[in-house]
Each structure stands twice: as structure tokens, then as C-alpha cells.
Amino acid sequence: MASFRFQIYILAFCAGLVIQSSCNGHSGLRKKHVALFIFGDSLYDPGNNNYINTTTSFQANWLPYGETFFRYPTGRFSDGRLIPDFIAEYAKLPIIPAYLQPGLKDYTYGVNFASGGAGALVESHQGFVIDLKTQRSQFKKVEKQLRQKLGEVEAYKLLSKAVYLISIGGNDYFSPLATNTSHDEYVGWVIGNLTSWIKDVYKKGGRKFGFSSLAPLTSVPGMRVIQPGNTGPSGEEVTALVKLHNRLLSKVLTKLKKELQGFKYSKLNLYTSAKERVNHPSKYGFKEGKTACCGSGPYGGIYTCGGKRGVTGYNLCGNVTEYVFFDSFHPTERVYQQMSKLWWGHNLKELFEV
């Protein structure tokens, strides 16, 4: 009798379990969860750049980064969690790990390929980051591994129920533009590569996507000061490119919805949300919208947070929750939390409903 009761307990335990590999050859859980695959740049990078050969300009694995939530630096370019971390939490998933995290073998909850500094164009910070093309190759390896582990049918099921988040494009417009290129042509290349990524994921079974418009890049503290050695486009040019990118992205997504059967997407209007918080911080519970909590020079705009980027001295604010920006280019955890809540409540939540 005791043995029978024990078996009942084990079955009940397995039925409610959220650990993928523990019960009944993987199949019990996938009905209960939707995997999350993440691509992009420093807004989403959970620490992939810790493991590549790059410079400290493209890393953030030292204090005070990570101090608010993790209590140690993870490689995230913020004081705490990023949008994908909050989305994972709302979707009742564990924090999605960095693809390059040593020893990572289980991709059944998804994985994060994002790399700080990455662009949609291979040329953006080439040699220092994991560009979108390389992130696509990494995803192919994961997809192959899932097929080997789960079998074709189950792997396709996981990939077609999964949600794919991407944050890309900002670095393509910070970098010097190709000479003799019109804005339309240049933004066309960026959106072209993003479209190609969507179609690639769609071919592998992906149907549900989350995009965000580009933020107002000239509002970041780092764009309010001239960075040493900066050869990029002017502020006015960056603003024009960002607005054009956002318009074109909306057009392309509307078009793809008609062309690709079953294609669903949710889009966060990061441009408006971020601009609002920069210009009216107190309305959203912040005291400072233009100056970084961590950095040096006017507005904290010189990218020295943590003292590992060639300059050891830097200023750090007393209360990070009062600030919109953590460092010269990246928001605080509190901003990311507000954005995530907004996006989840808007319609991202629906993509996670099985």
C-alpha cells in the first residue's frame, strides 16, 4: 500500500513538474510551457560577450553592473535584469541562459544568443561581437541538437510554440555608415537582414515573434557628449535613421503577416516609451532622465562605468532606482521592468498562451 501511495505521489509530482528532463521523456512539460529564444544586442545580452575575444567596450562583467538584482556582474549591461529576464518570469520560465555559458546542454526552455554591440549588418563592430548572421548559425546548431534529442516531431512542436524575441539595429546606426549610401538604402540593408532572419526562423517552425522599435538613440547620455575617437554619424542623422527604421519595420511586419501563414507578432514601442521617461521622469517615478547613474563627464556620458574601459575613475549615483539610465548607453533595471510590464500587458502575453 505504501509503495502504491509512493507511486501516486511520484506521478502527481511529475504531472506538476516544471523540470524538463525529469519525467516521462520530456513530453509532460512541453504542454505546459513555451520556450523563449532571444537574439540581438546589449539590450538583451545576458553575458555572451563574457566568453568571446573582444574588448571591454563590449563587455560589462564587473561591478557595479549586476549589483541590483544578481548581486554580482553577469555580463548584462545594466544594474540588474533586462527585458528578456522579466518576460521569462512573466511566462513562468526560468531566466533564459546565455548560449555561450559553459556546460549548457539543455535548450528546452530556450536560449539567449544576444551579444552587446551586435548589429543586423556583419560590418557593425565586426570582429568584436557576435553579429546576427552568427547568432543565426548558433540557432541552427541548437535546432539540430533539439531534433537529435527530442526527435523531429517533438522538436518542431517546441520550435513552433516558442516565442522569438529580437532587439537589433541600434548599433548599425551608431557605427559610421557605408560611404555614398542613402539613408533609404542603408536602412533597407538593416531591415533586409532582419527580414531574412524572420524567414529563416519561420522555416524552422517559428511562428511567434516579439520586436521592439528602436529607442531614441540620441537621448542616451553617451550621445549627449562627443565620445573620444567617435567617427559615427551626427545626432540629427542618427535620429533620421532611427525614425526611418521604425517606420520600415512596421511596414515589413504588416506585409509578412499577410505573406506568412500563422505568423504572429507583438511589437513594443520602445521609441515613445523611452522618450517619455527621458523627458518626463517624475511621471514614471524617476528623478533623473538624462544623466547616467554610472559614468563620467557631462550627463555621465563618457562610457567609464566600473573603471575598466581605459579610464579608472567614474561616478556612481547613490540611488539607482531614481535614474532612467544606468550607464552612458543603457537603461536601469527599473526602466526595463516598466517596459516589460507594458509589453506583456499590451499583447506579448498572448503569444505565450499554448
Side-chain angles (χ1 to χ4, degrees), residues 47-80:
N48 279 307
N49 283 10
N50 298 353
Y51 309 108
I52 64 172
N53 184 16
T54 187
T55 70
T56 52
S57 293
F58 300 100
Q59 289 175 319
N61 52 342
W62 54 81
L63 289 171
Y65 289 104
E67 215 164 49
T68 299
F69 178 78
F70 300 99
R71 305 277 177 240
Y72 66 92
T74 60
R76 286 168 176 80
F77 292 78
S78 187
D79 58 302

Side-chain angles (χ1 to χ4, degrees), residues 25-27 30-31 143-162 204-206:
H26 304 284
S27 60
R30 254 191 322 284
K31 290 175 186 133
E143 180 241 349
K144 190 179 172 189
Q145 204 240 42
L146 284 168
R147 279 190 283 127
Q148 286 167 350
K149 193 174 170 182
L150 307 173
E152 298 283 339
V153 175
E154 286 295 307
Y156 188 83
K157 218 181 268 184
L158 185 145
L159 292 167
S160 61
K161 285 179 183 171
K204 303 272 184 287

Side-chain angles (χ1 to χ4, degrees), residues 224-254:
R224 293 182 188 275
V225 299
I226 301 297
Q227 294 296 328
N230 179 38
T231 54
S234 70
E236 292 76 30
E237 201 176 357
V238 169
T239 298
L241 288 161
V242 165
K243 287 181 170 174
L244 185 55
H245 174 101
N246 289 343
R247 280 201 306 276
L248 201 52
L249 176 62
S250 295
K251 262 188 199 163
V252 164
L253 294 178
T254 307

